[in-house]
Amino acid sequence: MIEGYSIPATIALGSAAVTVIIALRYLLTSGLFDLITRKVRPGLYDGQGKQIAREIRWSLLSAGIFGVPAAAAIWSWRHHGLTFLYSDVSDYPLWYLPVSLVLYLLAHDTWFYWTHRLMHRPRWFKLAHRVHHDSRPPTAWTAMSFHPIEAVSGAVIIPLLMFIIPIHVVTLGIVLTVMTVMGVTNHMGWEIFPRWVVHSALGNWVITASHHERHHEDYRCNFGLYFRIWDRICKTDTGLSRRIVEQAGRAPG
């Protein structure tokens, strides 16, 4: 607790600070990949100015929602030691660092897959998820463009995992970086990764723009976030976006 402030006030101040960090992370990352897109794929976002402005408004609102559980988890760690977040690398074996990274990505991917499928049920789609799919086609600014209801479902998972799975602060930073970069690059409407990656054994299991764009073309498929594991298990994987793959010069696979 900050001296002179009540616990709710402390969390509120923390939420405001974390919100600013998340908003800046979004603006800088999406802005960077927007600039790259306009350099590498000139004209791709022509006529989408109003859509991008709308995406930014929804995303900044989402940043505020993401800030609350994140700040609460940080407060719980710093003041009460209630989470399994740790800063001393000697607290766990060194081999656990990459293991925790994989565990967080797999757990997040699982949560996202099933909540994402829920959001495609007619009632939930109409109520909330339609906001995200109003981005047609998606851009580098789309990744956090959520209705508040959907933003809540995405905001709670990483803070919740901090109470369940031990993770070093640096490894958590890597998780957040992967989440941010993949979220932006998977929506920006073209494939930033080389064809030899997309059409490889690794590409068969890791999601890139070629895979996620297919979801925005046909809403009933490709629900994963990082990996194609659940899509393959549940037979919802329908391959890659024909448009993006053809632009890259290879038939979809």
Side-chain angles (χ1 to χ4, degrees):
M1 183 173 67
I2 299 175
E3 187 175 352
Y5 290 90
S6 65
I7 291 175
T10 300
I11 295 178
L13 289 171
S15 298
V18 175
T19 294
V20 171
I21 293 171
I22 294 172
L24 288 175
R25 184 185 69 189
Y26 162 74
L27 292 171
L28 291 173
T29 307
S30 292
L32 172 63
F33 284 103
D34 178 276
L35 288 174
I36 294 173
T37 299
R38 295 179 190 277
K39 178 72 173 179
V40 178
R41 294 287 190 276
L44 185 63
Y45 295 162
D46 284 357
Q48 291 185 273
K50 290 184 178 180
Q51 174 184 311
I52 289 173
R54 184 178 68 247
E55 290 169 344
I56 293 173
R57 289 194 298 270
W58 283 115
S59 297
L60 293 179
L61 177 59
S62 294
I65 293 170
F66 273 71
V68 176
I74 293 170
W75 176 81
S76 298
W77 168 56
R78 291 295 297 253
H79 297 283
H80 296 282
L82 297 178
T83 74
F84 284 103
L85 185 66
Y86 65 98
S87 57
D88 189 342
V89 73
S90 64
D91 285 352
Y92 289 85
L94 288 178
W95 58 260
Y96 181 70
L97 293 173
V99 169
S100 62
L101 172 64
V102 172
L103 289 175
Y104 266 67
L105 293 179
L106 288 172
H108 190 191
D109 187 70
T110 298
W111 174 268
F112 182 88
Y113 178 87
W114 290 106
T115 56
H116 192 186
R117 284 195 68 172
L118 175 65
M119 286 292 167
H120 276 267
R121 299 291 294 269
R123 177 183 177 185
W124 288 103
F125 188 91
K126 183 177 181 181
L127 179 64
H129 194 48
R130 182 171 59 185
V131 166
H132 187 68
H133 278 279
D134 279 344
S135 297
R136 296 192 297 267
T139 73
W141 301 93
T142 305
M144 286 186 63
S145 181
F146 300 129
H147 185 280
I149 291 175
E150 184 170 6
V152 169
S153 74
V156 298
I157 180 59
I158 298 297
L160 178 62
L161 288 175
M162 291 165 60
F163 290 89
I164 301 172
I165 303 174
I167 191 168
H168 189 272
V169 290
V170 173
T171 308
L172 179 61
I174 295 173
V175 170
L176 297 175
T177 299
V178 171
M179 177 181 73
T180 302
V181 172
M182 288 192 69
V184 173
T185 59
N186 288 352
H187 284 92
M188 63 184 182
W190 60 282
E191 186 57 75
I192 196 171
F193 294 98
R195 284 174 290 178
W196 64 265
V197 171
V198 176
H199 303 280
S200 68
L202 177 64
N204 286 335
W205 293 100
V206 175
I207 293 171
T208 66
S210 299
H211 186 268
H212 191 68
E213 180 85 3
R214 183 68 172 264
H215 172 75
H216 282 264
E217 295 168 351
D218 178 2
Y219 298 174
R220 299 163 294 180
C221 63
N222 297 15
F223 296 103
L225 177 61
Y226 304 123
F227 310 112
R228 298 169 68 170
I229 298 171
W230 282 108
D231 275 311
R232 291 189 180 275
I233 291 173
C234 299
K235 302 186 185 305
T236 53
D237 193 314
T238 59
L240 309 180
S241 162
R242 183 173 298 277
R243 178 185 68 82
I244 289 184
V245 174
E246 286 180 348
Q247 285 180 349
R250 176 170 175 170

